[in-house]
């Protein structure tokens, strides 16, 4: 089932869960064990993030340098297939522009269609280490809006559909896109960023998932601005519970967002007490989640980042 159909048919908020593919070397059983705790909540779908291949230069015996591809993680498509082999749950792979040509993206879409996966979150991706700014792959897409257009046009002409003698279906994939209530770090202002978000919706995105935020007012104001700008699709809020003192500096830097003074103060007071930090972060996120549900959000998206204990506690309290 498509996420758009789940959203349209759902009368109350449900949790959506995002996982990160395991590092190479881990087994399918280890991956499935890590998501097993979520299954108690019968998630409607599970998002699987996508990661770029990295390159490293190694010096050879003759002093020259050679370029080597480093694939740290199992691919999102393989992880989706592994989840589908065990659980009756929809999977939503993320697809990024970075690192692929348009033809390579088409091949990924063929693989997803082959597996019967018709949900995608389309993103640009970030730059790779060593780059200061994102640079598109030659023959690839520059912005997520172009990727959304590419996915929509693929559907009418794909190798897969042609080879099966199927008619063009430009709505085969349900497409989600990302948004930033505190503005994407490259955008000059929130208004321009929202205008760029609208390009993704106009190109065919069915719904939006936001970056994490720690103050719900930021999300409510953002949704209001999006509606004023003519964006009408569902906007799913993204949450992540904090659990360590270090995250107070790492998360704002990595995701270009603010952590409220009150939460910062509480975590700073408890900075040497692991369990207290965990509790403060979990309670804050539970409070955010309950408030979002009370405000009628369609779903709440959790960035699980390989952690299940705090997320399952929050789900048990809120859903
Ligand atoms: P875009 O929508 O392309 O926007 C990027 C920047 O370009 C913005 O500043 C925007 O304002 C600007 N822009 C857009 N269109 C135009 C235009 N036509 N002209 C000028 N400027 C323009 N990253 C991963 O690598 N893997 C993942 O799985 C992943 N999952 C994510 C899930 C969610 C829900 C979110 C919110 C983010 C995720 N990211 C992921 C991070 C994301 O890839 C980065 O934040 C990236 O820097 C931007 O991606 P985007 O799709 O929002 O880009």
């Amino acid at each position: 089932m498509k996420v758009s159909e789940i959203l349209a048919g759902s009368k109350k908020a449900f949790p959506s869960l995002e996982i990160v593919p395991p590092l190479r070397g881990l087994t399918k059983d280890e991956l499935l064990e890590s998501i097993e705790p979520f299954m108690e909540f019968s998630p409607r779908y599970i998002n699987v993030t996508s990661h770029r291949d990295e390159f490293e230069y190694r010096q050879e015996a003759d002093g020259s340098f050679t370029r080597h591809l480093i694939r740290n993680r199992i691919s999102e498509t393989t992880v989706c297939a592994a989840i589908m082999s065990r659980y009756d749950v929809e999977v939503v792979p993320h697809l990024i522009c970075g690192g692929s040509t348009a033809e390579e993206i088409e091949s990924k879409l063929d693989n997803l269609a082959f597996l019967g996966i018709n949900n995608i979150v389309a993103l640009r991706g970030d730059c790779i280490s060593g780059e200061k700014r994102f640079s598109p792959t030659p023959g690839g897409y520059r912005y997520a809006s172009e990727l959304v257009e590419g996915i929509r046009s693929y559907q009418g002409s794909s190798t897969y559909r042609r080879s099966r003698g199927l008619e063009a279906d430009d709505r085969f994939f349900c497409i989600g896109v990302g948004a930033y209530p505190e503005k994407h770090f490259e955008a000059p202002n929130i208004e321009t960023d929202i205008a760029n978000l609208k390009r993704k919706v106009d190109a065919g995105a069915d719904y939006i998932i936001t970056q994490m935020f720690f103050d719900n007012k930021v999300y409510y104001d953002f949704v209001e601005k999006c509606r004023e700008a003519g964006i009408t699709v569902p906007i799913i809020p993204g949450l992540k519970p904090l659990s360590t003192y270090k995250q107070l500096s790492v998360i704002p830097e990595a995701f270009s967002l603010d952590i409220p003074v009150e939460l910062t103060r509480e975590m700073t007071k408890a900075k040497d007490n692991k369990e207290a930090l965990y509790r403060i972060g979990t309670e804050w996120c539970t409070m955010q989640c309950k408030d979002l549900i009370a405000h009628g959000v369609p779903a709440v998206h959790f960035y699980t980042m390989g952690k299940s204990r705090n997320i399952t506690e929050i789900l048990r309290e809120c859903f």
Side-chain angles (χ1 to χ4, degrees), residues 1-16 42-47 88-92 118-119 174 206-207 234 236 297-300:
M1 199 183 216
K2 292 179 180 171
V3 171
S4 52
E5 291 164 351
I6 296 173
L7 286 165
S10 174
K11 292 199 173 52
K12 58 182 189 124
F14 58 86
S16 90
S42 309
R44 311 295 302 272
Y45 54 87
I46 295 182
N47 286 60
D88 184 18
V89 60
E90 296 294 339
V91 285
V92 186
N118 57 2
N119 285 297
C174 165
D206 296 289
Y207 67 100
I236 301 175
V297 296
V300 183

Side-chain angles (χ1 to χ4, degrees), residues 113 152-173:
R152 286 278 173 249
S153 70
Y154 153 87
Q155 292 164 185
S157 64
S158 80
T159 323
Y160 171 78
R161 297 195 71 76
R162 276 199 309 267
S163 67
R164 304 291 295 253
L166 297 170
E167 283 192 12
D169 172 9
D170 73 350
R171 305 303 295 185
F172 178 80
F173 286 108

Side-chain angles (χ1 to χ4, degrees), residues 188-204:
N189 51 63
I190 190 77
E191 285 72 20
T192 307
D193 207 23
I194 289 176
N196 288 329
L197 174 60
K198 188 161 184 298
R199 289 175 201 262
K200 299 194 262 195
V201 178
D202 292 344

